[in-house]
Every structure is written in C-alpha cells, then in structure tokens.
Amino acid sequence: RSMPPGPSQVSSSDFQISVSGGNIRARVLTPSTSAKRLMVYYHGGGWVIGNIDDYDSVGRHLAEISESIVVMVEYRKAPEHPFPTPINDCYAALEWVDNHRADINALDLPLVVAGDSAGGNLSTVMAIQSRDEDGPKIDLQVLIYPVTDGRMSANSWGDQDKQLFLTSDIMTFFWEHYADSSQRLNHKASPLLAQDLSNLPPAVVLTAEFDI
C-alpha cells in the first residue's frame, strides 16, 4: 500500500469466482496496448496476509509493462483457511480464467502463472496440479523468490546475515498458520519435494541475495 498508484490507463474489473464453500474475488487488469499474454497472479504474504487491493499497483505495472492481461486472485488465507484451501481456491481461479477467456478478451493468448513468495509457491503448485489433472495448459511459470521447502532446514534458514526483512521467526509463524508439520512434506506445500518435475512449463525464477 506504500507504493504509488500503478498506471492509470490500465483498466480494471472485479469478478466473483465460485469455490468450495463460498466465493473469492478476482481482478482483471487490462493494458492500454494489445495484450500478448494472459497472466494469473497470486500475491505473497505467507498465505496469511495481503490481498489484491494491496497488490493493485504491482498488477497494473505488470499489465502495462509486460503487455499482459493480469488476473489477480484473492484466495482465502490462513489461519481461518489453512492448507489446502488456498491451493484449491487458486486452482478454481485458474480454471475460471481459462474457461472465461472470451469474457476477458484473452482468447488464444499464452497462459502464465506468476507470484511472489507464497504466491510463487502457489504458482508452481498450480503448474504441477494442472499437469497431473490435465487442467489448463500453462505456458510459463514466473516464480518471484518462491517458498519451496517447508522443512525449514536449509543452510540459508539459520544464516544470521539473512535475517533482514523476512526472518526465520516470521517465516516459521507463516508456516505454522498455513500447514502442520506433516502437511509441509506434501509437494503441494513444498514443491521442492515433488518427485516428478517432468512435463512442466518452463520457469523463470527470481531470487533475492539475502533471502532465507
């Protein structure tokens, strides 16, 4: 919310998507120029905080700069809606987007899943689930410092030089709200633990120098 507003020429429309047990909100952001791709964006926040209003500026910049129709997904969050509810919401939204291409002027555009942090986690989980369930054809994953391993035991985890913005204690807080110790070993929570990564769309992975 501290960011300045995104490009005002990007048009915005909100939709309701039916999911198990309710509805979630999605925001379609359309660039001022002809769109070259369709991007479903899952925001970060440790599966606990954040929403599409917080990320509106990010979505507008993505839409305009990458010439994409960007769909921001308001998945439900922990602790009220822990694992696997956010995953189920995100997949329902992915299917909704693919089934409503004509309504959002996105016919025949390549499909990208993208997200930061917990949203990067959800994005790559969407790619795996879509492959396994013969779901929407995803052409690219864009994973921005994605969460990949719920074991919380990597060398970087306890590195004191990396306890800057996102600390190990804060990330532990997020994991404990999102999934219990056994669920964290599920590849849908920890995609790094997936046994089969074949036949997935290519991935662009952005990392941060001081990320745990």
Side-chain angles (χ1 to χ4, degrees):
R1 291 177 181 174
S2 63
M3 295 181 65
S8 60
Q9 66 269 32
V10 172
S11 62
S12 175
S13 299
D14 283 9
F15 294 85
Q16 291 289 321
I17 298 175
S18 295
V19 296
S20 177
N23 294 287
I24 61 172
R25 190 167 53 127
R27 178 166 298 162
V28 179
L29 299 168
T30 304
S32 60
T33 56
S34 179
K36 296 180 179 178
R37 57 197 60 81
L38 171 61
M39 180 186 298
V40 181
Y41 194 89
Y42 303 106
H43 69 78
W47 311 280
V48 174
I49 60 175
N51 57 54
I52 59 177
D53 295 327
D54 294 342
Y55 274 74
D56 187 75
S57 177
V58 174
R60 287 176 178 271
H61 282 293
L62 280 172
E64 193 70 5
I65 294 171
S66 68
E67 299 176 294
S68 303
I69 295 171
V70 176
V71 183
M72 314 285 287
V73 178
E74 180 88 355
Y75 57 90
R76 291 173 291 179
K77 285 169 279 293
E80 294 83 0
H81 302 284
F83 177 89
T85 297
I87 293 169
N88 296 338
D89 287 357
C90 288
Y91 194 71
L94 180 68
E95 291 186 312
W96 183 93
V97 169
D98 198 47
N99 291 331
H100 289 80
R101 283 173 171 268
D103 299 328
I104 59 175
N105 298 313
L107 286 173
D108 301 321
L109 295 180
L111 178 59
V112 180
V113 289
D116 62 290
S117 195
N121 168 283
L122 293 166
S123 296
T124 199
V125 169
M126 291 304 98
I128 295 170
Q129 184 167 343
S130 194
R131 176 202 64 184
D132 292 346
E133 299 184 10
D134 196 23
K137 179 184 180 297
I138 299 171
D139 296 284
L140 181 69
Q141 310 172 64
V142 180
L143 314 178
I144 306 166
Y145 38 86
V147 184
T148 59
D149 188 354
R151 293 173 296 180
M152 299 183 279
S153 59
N155 289 337
S156 60
W157 185 265
D159 190 337
Q160 291 304 310
D161 291 336
K162 300 184 191 296
Q163 308 301 315
L164 298 174
F165 175 72
L166 180 65
T167 67
S168 298
D169 286 345
I170 294 172
M171 197 64 221
T172 299
F173 170 88
F174 287 143
W175 271 116
E176 289 178 346
H177 279 72
Y178 178 53
D180 66 31
S181 57
S182 63
Q183 291 172 327
R184 290 173 215 154
L185 301 180
N186 187 311
H187 73 271
K188 287 189 175 184
S190 296
L192 194 69
L193 303 182
Q195 294 185 354
D196 181 10
L197 298 177
S198 62
N199 300 314
L200 291 174
V204 176
V205 182
L206 287 74
T207 59
E209 181 180 0
F210 295 105
D211 193 354
I212 57 172

